[in-house]
Amino acid sequence: MQRFLLDTHALLWWLNDSPQLGPRCKEIIGNERNQIFVSAATTWEISIKIALGKLIAPEDMDSIVEDEGFSKLPISLYHGQLAGSLPAHHRDPFDRMLIAQAQAEGLILITADDNIRLYNLRLKNTGD
């Protein structure tokens, strides 16, 4: 069993069965032996983008995440502290939180974002 954290785009691509999510990543996410996490930061980012009219996505992400069998990852005070202390390679606060959570919880982050490679964490590229 491995433990993974989905970047926001990876979650949306999974839900939409997008070809942007490669076959290996689809296999990893769909494998019931793996534990797949979705951060509260992801649902926060999706909600903001929906409200701004920048994204069309389901609004009840809590139920969807549960229905998919994914684990919900809350944001702790430690996660916030770690995100704030990260080097400034990446300015997106949501991605910085995901990086901090992946580091703190020992998760492999599934992402297409090349800037995240500048941080010390394990990654899986969504194109795989």
Side-chain angles (χ1 to χ4, degrees):
M1 177 185 86
Q2 291 185 297
R3 301 168 64 222
F4 296 88
L5 175 60
L6 298 180
D7 199 342
T8 303
H9 57 268
L11 172 64
L12 294 171
W13 292 348
W14 169 262
L15 296 175
N16 292 320
D17 195 26
S18 172
Q20 291 176 285
L21 192 61
R24 179 70 183 122
C25 279
K26 287 181 181 180
E27 181 182 321
I28 287 169
I29 296 168
N31 185 337
E32 292 180 7
R33 291 183 301 200
N34 292 327
Q35 188 173 15
I36 308 299
F37 288 87
V38 175
S39 171
T42 293
T43 58
W44 180 20
E45 180 179 17
I46 289 169
S47 295
I48 288 173
K49 289 183 177 181
I50 289 171
L52 293 172
K54 293 183 176 184
L55 179 67
I56 297 172
E59 293 190 20
D60 188 13
M61 292 305 296
D62 188 75
S63 294
I64 291 169
V65 166
E66 200 167 292
D67 291 346
E68 291 292 326
F70 299 155
S71 299
K72 300 171 189 176
L73 183 59
I75 298 171
S76 72
L77 294 175
Y78 179 69
H79 294 150
Q81 182 179 359
L82 185 57
S85 67
L86 288 171
H89 303 307
H90 208 300
R91 298 203 182 276
D92 183 310
F94 300 108
D95 286 338
R96 291 174 64 83
M97 179 55 68
L98 295 177
I99 292 162
Q101 288 182 304
Q103 287 179 338
E105 305 302 327
L107 304 173
I108 302 166
L109 181 61
I110 297 178
T111 186
D113 189 335
D114 287 332
N115 289 333
I116 292 177
R117 296 197 180 284
L118 299 171
Y119 294 93
N120 182 26
L121 72 159
R122 296 182 304 158
L123 298 173
K124 183 70 179 162
N125 189 288
T126 55
D128 292 347

